Amino acid sequence: MMRLTVRQNQIIDAALQLTSAGGIQNLTIKNVSSRLGITEPAIYRHFAGKSEIVKALIESFDGGVEVDASLTGFAGIAGFARSRFAQIAANPSLAKVMFAEELFMDDPEYSELLLKMMHRHKQSLQKHFEEAQAAGEIRSDLDVEMLFRIVFGAVRLLVKQWGMSGQAFDLRAKGEELLGALGKIFHA
């Protein structure tokens, strides 16, 4: 992940807010510059264009999860999910943008970036699913890829419900309930 300047982070945040409020079509260089109170050429000093801003937005979301490296098995899986819940609770616009892939579906480049991010997450978590199975924490008769889809499909749905409800419930508390239920469902 590239290191961003303060201004680049401001541009990415403005892009996130604009996309959250009006979809990807609302994300224009003109709107970003207006939101930040700077000129359009000032934006181009930091990013070549909209496409670079969107890429940086996706990368910042992808790299924004901190998980305790000492966690193993189901605790590692739960740690990743908890980190996502915390990241999104701290910036609710992420729920509307990064968990709404349909915003990016019409652009093959953005779709590919999101798909690659999902695959990186799956690969990084595969070890934890395998550890959990080996330790008897979760059933070993379920394919790791399917476990990933079940767990993170449920996580994504919870985040989407939270975002669509206007943050009507405590995302972290409901996330804990979800993780507890998944642990019971998957227990050997």
Side-chain angles (χ1 to χ4, degrees):
M1 190 165 114
M2 68 184 221
R3 221 156 152 75
L4 300 173
T5 65
V6 170
R7 179 60 84 187
Q8 286 174 317
N9 279 313
Q10 291 170 340
I11 292 167
I12 291 168
D13 188 52
L16 176 63
Q17 301 307 317
L18 288 164
T19 305
S20 174
I24 196 74
Q25 66 277 2
N26 196 38
L27 176 54
T28 64
I29 298 300
K30 181 178 182 171
N31 288 347
V32 171
S33 67
S34 176
R35 185 167 192 102
L36 292 174
I38 61 176
T39 65
E40 290 180 46
I43 302 292
Y44 289 109
R45 283 196 288 273
H46 300 281
F47 291 102
K50 176 181 174 174
S51 180
E52 255 192 40
I53 294 170
V54 172
K55 288 177 192 175
L57 173 63
I58 292 169
E59 286 179 11
S60 70
F61 177 72
D62 190 14
V65 175
E66 303 244 348
V67 181
D68 181 348
S70 69
L71 296 175
T72 61
F74 194 76
I77 297 162
F80 181 90
R82 286 182 184 112
S83 184
R84 272 290 183 231
F85 293 140
Q87 180 189 28
I88 292 160
N91 191 348
S93 293
L94 288 172
K96 288 185 176 178
V97 176
M98 297 312 299
F99 284 85
E101 296 83 5
E102 59 274 4
L103 290 175
F104 303 104
M105 289 277 195
D106 292 335
D107 188 306
E109 184 179 19
Y110 302 153
S111 291
E112 183 179 342
L113 283 171
L114 287 170
L115 187 59
K116 284 180 179 179
M117 178 179 67
M118 287 180 204
H119 286 296
R120 275 192 304 278
H121 293 171
K122 183 180 74 171
Q123 287 173 341
S124 69
L125 290 166
Q126 181 173 346
K127 171 185 78 151
H128 293 303
F129 281 107
E130 290 169 351
E131 290 167 346
Q133 285 179 324
E137 296 174 328
I138 59 175
R139 296 168 50 154
S140 60
D141 61 337
L142 297 171
D143 179 68
V144 168
E145 187 163 334
M146 191 55 61
L147 287 168
F148 176 81
R149 286 181 181 145
I150 292 168
V151 170
F152 289 96
V155 166
R156 296 177 76 75
L157 177 61
L158 181 61
V159 168
K160 204 169 204 58
Q161 289 173 328
W162 179 78
M164 292 178 73
S165 72
Q167 300 86 49
F169 55 88
D170 181 333
L171 179 60
R172 290 180 181 170
K174 288 292 182 189
E176 288 301 321
E177 287 179 33
L178 174 64
L179 292 169
L182 288 169
K184 288 177 187 174
I185 290 169
F186 292 146
H187 196 271

